[in-house]
Amino acid sequence: MKLATFAVDTPVGPVERIGAVDESTDTDDTPADEAALVDLTAAYGATLEAEGEPAPADLARSHVPPEMIAFLERGDRAIADAREALEYAAETDAERGPGGAKLRYEPGEYRLLAPLPRPNSLRDCMAIEEHVENSMDGEIADVWYDLPVYYKGNADGVVAPGETVQWPDYSEIMDYELEIAAVIGERGRDIPAEEAEKHIAGYTVFNDFSARDIQGEEMEGRLGPAKGKDFANGLGPYLVPREDIDVLSAPMTARIDGEVWSTGIVDEMYHSFADIIEHVSQSETLHPGDVIGSGTVGEGCGLELGQWLEDGDTVALEVEGIGTLEHTVIE
C-alpha cells in the first residue's frame, strides 16, 4: 500500500485528503501524478455504510482521519482500517460514499502533496560511511562511529512532489541528496533499539537539497547546517507502511535530466534506524509525524561526484517500492 496526501478543489477552496494508490493503476513505471487515488476516509465510510453503521461519515473521520499526522496518531489501527478501505474500493462499483463523498480520483482531478506537507519535526542523519568519507576527504571523526549524529531541519520547508524548487539567491552551488526517511507513527521516549521498529509507521523518499557554498561557510563556525539546507526538503511521493517494504534492500537511483548519477541502498547504513531512534529518543519524546532521514547513500550527491546541478535540471530520486520523487531546480 502506498499512502498519499493530496488536495482536491471544492467550491470553498482546496481540501486536503488522505489517499492510497489504486493498485490496479500502479506499476513501476507509473509517474506519481498519473496514478488513480482512493480517498481512504470516504472509502472507509462507504464500508461502514454498507455494514449499516450509523453516522458512517463521522465514524470514518475518527478511524481514518483525512490528515496525515492525525492518521499516524492512530498507529497500526489506522493502517489496518486504510487497508480495509482500499480493499472495499477495489471490490465495489460504488463511486460515492456517505454524503456523496467521492471514493476515487483520477489523474488530473487532484494535486499530489508531500505525504507530510508539514512534518511534526525533521531530523536528518549522516549514517552511511562512504558518503561521510567522500565528503570529509577520508577524515572521519571518531565520534561519528560512536553516535548517530544528525541535524534538525526546517519542517516548514517541505516541497511537494513535482514542485519547482527556486534556489536561494545567496547560493550558486546546487546539490541534491539521495536518501530514505523513516516516519514515526508511535509516540515514545527512551526507546530501546530492539523496540524501535514498531515506532516506525513507514518510509518515504527524501531529497535533502543542499546549497553547498553557504553550507560550507556556515559550518566553519561549528554550527549548522542551516541556510544551506532549510530552503527545500523534498518528501514523497508516497509513504509506504513498514510491513510493505524491505527498506534495507530497496534499490535507490538518482537521475538528473534522465541520466543516472547515483545508485545505492540504505543497507550501507553504519547506524541503523533502530540505533538512531534509540539515540534520538534519549530523554526526548518522539511523536507521530516526526521524520528521520537516513543520510545520503555513497556517491549519492554532486559533492561526492564533483559535479553540480544546473539551472533547469530535473532531479528524480527513485526508491523501488516507494516511487519517484521529482523536482526541477531553477536559479
Side-chain angles (χ1 to χ4, degrees), residues 122-128 131 151 176-182 203-210 212 229 233-236 247 250-254 262 264-266 269 273 291-298 300-301 304 317-319 322-323 325:
L122 179 63
R123 297 174 175 85
D124 194 21
C125 298
M126 194 167 59
I128 296 176
H131 169 69
Y151 75 91
Y176 70 96
E177 302 210 32
L178 177 59
E179 305 189 29
I180 285 178
Y203 300 92
T204 191
V205 186
F206 181 28
N207 190 341
D208 173 32
F209 283 105
S210 300
R212 292 300 187 193
K229 301 280 191 177
N233 296 288
L235 293 175
V247 72
M252 304 168 64
T253 306
S262 307
I265 55 174
V266 294
M269 292 171 74
F273 276 118
V291 171
I292 301 175
S294 63
T296 309
V297 300
C301 63
E304 296 174 75
L317 304 188
E318 179 183 4
V319 177
I322 299 178
L325 177 64

Side-chain angles (χ1 to χ4, degrees), residues 181-308:
V183 177
I184 298 299
E186 181 178 322
R187 183 179 182 274
R189 185 183 181 93
D190 295 319
I191 303 166
E194 57 270 20
E195 296 179 13
E197 184 176 1
K198 71 177 184 179
H199 290 266
I200 298 174
Y203 300 92
T204 191
V205 186
F206 181 28
N207 190 341
D208 173 32
F209 283 105
S210 300
R212 292 300 187 193
D213 39 5
I214 187 65
Q215 179 191 358
E217 285 184 44
E218 63 192 2
M219 293 187 70
E220 288 182 5
R222 297 185 180 272
L223 279 179
K227 300 300 286 184
K229 301 280 191 177
D230 285 351
F231 59 94
N233 296 288
L235 293 175
Y238 307 118
L239 171 61
V240 175
R242 67 176 187 274
E243 302 93 341
D244 293 0
I245 184 171
D246 179 3
V247 72
L248 294 182
S249 62
M252 304 168 64
T253 306
R255 294 180 176 86
I256 312 303
D257 285 345
E259 178 185 352
V260 174
W261 280 26
S262 307
T263 60
I265 55 174
V266 294
D267 192 32
E268 303 166 358
M269 292 171 74
Y270 183 86
H271 300 285
S272 68
F273 276 118
D275 292 336
I276 292 166
I277 288 171
E278 179 178 70
H279 174 68
V280 172
S281 69
Q282 290 180 14
S283 300
E284 184 175 351
T285 302
L286 289 179
H287 298 273
D290 287 346
V291 171
I292 301 175
S294 63
T296 309
V297 300
E299 297 189 347
C301 63
L303 176 65
E304 296 174 75
L305 301 173
Q307 55 188 352
W308 309 113

Side-chain angles (χ1 to χ4, degrees), residues 8 15 21 24 37 40 52 54 76 116-117 136-137 163 183 186 197 199 211 215 218 239 243 247-248 300:
V8 295
V15 174
V21 174
S24 67
L37 295 181
L40 292 174
D76 290 342
L116 286 150
M136 303 295 182
D137 296 323
E163 186 174 339
V183 177
E186 181 178 322
E197 184 176 1
H199 290 266
Q215 179 191 358
E218 63 192 2
L239 171 61
E243 302 93 341
V247 72
L248 294 182

Side-chain angles (χ1 to χ4, degrees), residues 163-181:
E163 186 174 339
T164 296
V165 174
Q166 183 167 351
W167 213 255
D169 57 11
Y170 52 74
S171 169
E172 296 181 355
I173 301 181
M174 304 188 286
D175 205 359
Y176 70 96
E177 302 210 32
L178 177 59
E179 305 189 29
I180 285 178

